[in-house]
Amino acid sequence: MGKNVRKTKKFALTKRLLNPKDAKQQSRDDGTKKAPLKNQFKTKENELKIKRIEAVTSNMFNEHNAAIKPPYSVLVDTNFINFSIKNKIDLVKGMMDCLYANCVPHVTDCVIGELEKLGTKFRVALRVAKDPRFVKLPCMHKGTYADDCIVDRCRKHRCYVVATCDTDLKRRLRKIPGVPIMYLQNHKYSVERLPAAGNIGNAPRL
């Protein structure tokens, strides 16, 4: 009996030894800790978040926007007015020469606010922006930063041709489908992303 007891004791002792292949032992040797299961589930939940898809207007057919038609509503940016004055181009006449149709320039309150902040150097541009032929659009946001206002308007109402010479604003507008961009090229206006733009005015061939 005594011999059997000793044998069982030895067996029990050997079973208590740590297995080198154990995950806990490996993590201690490496100096790293495994992430608990709760955190693993949280990371998976964050990865599987559903992306919000913007609602598409009924006027859109792929990238073709049926809402943009004569008379064109042109949303004018601050630098577009300044560059037009430098190149001695009348805004309304230049737009009509480019698009071969009636154009109604639209100016937001933040564009007028930016011109007022720029001081006396841009008083001619401010006088042009306050022309009675221009339609004034009220702004509900804080501050006078026009780029965010124009991008937000184009996302909500895709019925404008945006007139700008700002490269950063043009890059942001190109991400919104169905928004044509008017800009200055070779001392005259040109337009891109307008339906059949290759046959209109000074537009580049698409």
Side-chain angles (χ1 to χ4, degrees):
M1 289 294 288
K3 286 180 181 179
N4 292 334
V5 170
R6 281 177 187 175
K7 280 180 182 177
T8 52
K9 277 186 178 180
K10 280 182 182 177
F11 174 75
L13 285 167
T14 52
K15 203 167 185 181
R16 281 175 195 162
L17 289 171
L18 290 169
N19 188 2
K21 292 181 180 179
D22 193 8
K24 286 183 181 179
Q25 187 65 21
Q26 281 181 354
S27 64
R28 282 174 188 170
D29 295 339
D30 297 337
T32 56
K33 289 184 180 180
K34 275 198 169 183
L37 289 171
K38 286 182 181 178
N39 293 343
Q40 286 178 6
F41 287 125
K42 280 182 182 178
T43 52
K44 283 180 181 178
E45 283 175 8
N46 292 337
E47 286 173 5
L48 296 170
K49 275 185 179 177
I50 298 165
K51 291 181 180 179
R52 185 178 169 275
I53 299 165
E54 288 185 8
V56 181
T57 58
S58 58
N59 294 315
M60 293 294 297
F61 180 75
N62 293 336
E63 289 192 359
H64 179 86
N65 192 352
I68 295 170
K69 53 190 175 183
Y72 294 106
S73 300
V74 185
L75 195 59
V76 184
D77 189 25
T78 312
N79 53 22
F80 190 82
I81 299 168
N82 295 332
F83 281 110
S84 297
I85 291 163
K86 282 180 184 178
N87 287 281
K88 298 177 181 178
I89 302 169
D90 181 60
L91 267 84
V92 179
K93 192 183 174 185
M95 288 172 187
M96 288 174 72
D97 289 343
C98 176
L99 298 172
Y100 295 138
N102 287 331
C103 298
V104 183
H106 289 64
V107 179
T108 57
D109 287 342
C110 50
V111 170
I112 293 166
E114 275 186 359
L115 290 167
E116 284 173 351
K117 277 188 176 181
L118 289 168
T120 54
K121 281 186 179 181
F122 298 90
R123 62 180 181 273
V124 180
L126 182 62
R127 198 183 302 159
V128 170
K130 289 181 177 178
D131 193 296
R133 293 177 295 176
F134 284 39
V135 177
K136 308 295 183 296
L137 297 173
C139 294
M140 304 303 291
H141 61 86
K142 291 180 181 178
T144 57
Y145 187 60
D147 289 10
D148 289 342
C149 177
I150 289 166
V151 171
D152 189 46
R153 263 179 209 280
C154 290
R155 279 208 180 98
K156 288 177 182 175
H157 314 287
R158 296 185 192 180
C159 58
Y160 297 110
V161 177
V162 181
T164 182
C165 297
D166 188 0
T167 51
D168 186 43
L169 180 58
K170 282 197 275 188
R171 180 179 55 78
R172 289 172 70 183
L173 289 167
R174 284 187 188 112
K175 292 177 182 177
I176 307 166
V179 179
I181 302 164
M182 188 181 283
Y183 56 94
L184 266 159
Q185 189 180 38
N186 300 325
H187 305 286
K188 57 189 175 183
Y189 296 156
S190 187
V191 69
E192 67 174 56
R193 300 180 69 198
L194 193 70
N199 302 321
I200 296 175
N202 305 312
R205 297 276 171 187
L206 297 175

